[in-house]
Amino acid sequence: GTLAKLLEAASFWAARNRMVTRAGVGEVTQKLLKVKVGLKSSPRHLSNLKSRLGRFAGDFEKYICDITTPEIQDWLDGLGLSNCSYANYRRVLHALFEFAVARGFATENPVKATQVVKAENIDVQVFTPAELRKLLSSASDEFLPSIVLGAFAGLRSSEVKRLTWGDIRLNDRHIVIGKDKAKTASRRIVPIWDNCADWLAPYGFRSGYVWSGSYFQFYAEQKRTAKAAGIRWKRNGLRHSYASYRFAQIMDAGRVAGELGNSASIIHRHYRELVT
């Protein structure tokens, strides 16, 4: 071809063949997980990475620097996933290859050029007052604060599991969600309303973590409580309930978003007119 095309081809070859440390997908995955453990990532996040990246590593027993965009796209398409699951797989693969590039195991991130899909609308389910009464009456003494903080303060389960009693300022009527505890890594102050204060008052003398058990014990207790209450547990139901009833109460999306740690557009899109 022309000289220009020859130079282009040479530049492409040089970029693709920069010096890298050749390592398999499984090896790089283990290095990423080790770093995440050192950064004190949550057990849930680590479990998610192990599951999704383990599946990818099992199907790609080759050097990570040799994997191409078409190969990743074909693999994602072949999983037959929902849009939400597809997006989750793509996200962890993107993180893996970004790590590989930063550590010298690859020259580029081929996930960047894969198809981006729009996730489905969130299926928002809320608890009725009657259902919440049953949950509160069925919860153990140790798990009750976790339900209260979700339903009456809108905290995420991941935030509750990282929260200490020192973060709950009953006298000042607010909860401090530090950036090390929030999903968005951004500090926020959550108000404590009367019902939340009343339920938490008997625990005012405590110290340490609000939930002292493990990640798996938390969800086991959640399941046990729902079974004892005779109702089906609704995924993210406590937080969805707070957002829905709170928005119906004050009709101020910006204020509710500030309490929840997300955006006003999310409040309008998912919680408007769900309940009265």
Side-chain angles (χ1 to χ4, degrees):
T2 65
L3 177 60
K5 286 196 173 291
L6 179 62
L7 291 173
E8 182 183 354
S11 297
F12 176 79
W13 186 91
R16 291 282 296 178
N17 291 274
R18 288 203 309 268
M19 291 295 293
V20 297
T21 301
R22 301 182 75 79
V25 177
E27 181 182 350
V28 178
T29 295
Q30 291 305 312
K31 290 180 180 296
L32 171 62
L33 290 172
K34 184 177 180 180
V35 169
K36 291 291 186 180
V37 169
L39 293 173
K40 294 182 170 43
S41 295
S42 69
R44 185 177 186 180
H45 180 56
L46 291 172
S47 177
N48 179 51
L49 289 176
K50 287 179 183 178
S51 174
R52 298 183 193 279
L53 294 181
R55 185 174 183 179
F56 182 73
D59 290 340
F60 284 85
E61 296 182 353
K62 58 192 298 186
Y63 293 129
I64 197 167
C65 60
D66 293 333
I67 298 175
T68 64
T69 296
E71 288 179 312
I72 296 173
Q73 188 65 68
D74 287 344
W75 186 79
L76 287 170
D77 292 341
L79 295 178
L81 303 169
S82 66
N83 283 8
C84 185
S85 292
Y86 176 98
N88 287 334
Y89 265 100
R90 186 182 182 279
R91 184 174 62 254
V92 297
L93 290 178
H94 187 280
L96 173 67
F97 279 90
E98 285 292 290
F99 176 83
V101 172
R103 297 304 196 278
F105 298 116
T107 60
E108 61 181 357
N109 183 348
V111 181
K112 288 181 178 179
T114 58
Q115 182 182 8
V116 178
V117 299
K118 186 176 180 180
E120 305 95 336
N121 289 332
I122 298 174
D123 181 21
V124 176
Q125 297 180 323
V126 301
F127 290 109
T128 66
E131 288 174 329
L132 191 53
R133 288 191 188 96
K134 291 179 181 178
L135 287 174
L136 291 166
S137 63
S138 302
S140 65
D141 183 60
E142 293 301 317
F143 192 61
L144 181 64
S146 299
I147 292 181
V148 171
L149 290 167
F152 298 150
L155 270 60
R156 299 176 176 91
S157 295
S158 59
E159 293 169 341
V160 173
K161 292 196 291 288
R162 301 183 189 122
L163 204 68
T164 68
W165 287 107
D167 298 319
I168 300 175
R169 317 287 172 78
L170 278 175
N171 291 335
D172 298 326
R173 288 299 191 99
H174 66 249
I175 303 167
V176 179
I177 308 295
K179 64 180 182 179
D180 59 326
K181 297 178 174 67
K183 177 183 177 182
T184 57
S186 179
R187 184 177 183 272
R188 76 180 192 277
I189 303 296
V190 178
I192 295 178
W193 307 115
D194 289 344
N195 56 348
C196 185
D198 288 344
W199 281 100
L200 294 180
Y203 298 86
F205 64 93
R206 294 199 177 188
S207 60
Y209 284 100
V210 172
W211 173 253
S212 58
S214 69
Y215 163 86
F216 298 104
Q217 289 171 329
F218 183 93
Y219 289 101
E221 189 63 19
Q222 180 177 279
K223 184 177 181 181
R224 187 208 67 77
T225 303
K227 184 177 180 180
I231 63 175
R232 180 180 60 83
W233 187 265
K234 300 173 184 180
R235 188 171 182 269
N236 294 325
L238 297 176
R239 179 172 162 85
H240 287 328
S241 297
Y242 178 87
S244 302
Y245 290 111
R246 180 73 174 138
F247 189 34
Q249 180 188 39
I250 64 173
M251 295 304 292
D252 185 336
R255 186 173 174 185
V256 178
E259 294 169 7
L260 291 168
N262 54 23
S263 67
S265 61
I266 291 291
I267 301 299
H268 274 291
R269 187 181 313 139
H270 299 302
Y271 304 116
R272 187 173 65 176
E273 297 177 352
L274 273 185
V275 298
T276 60

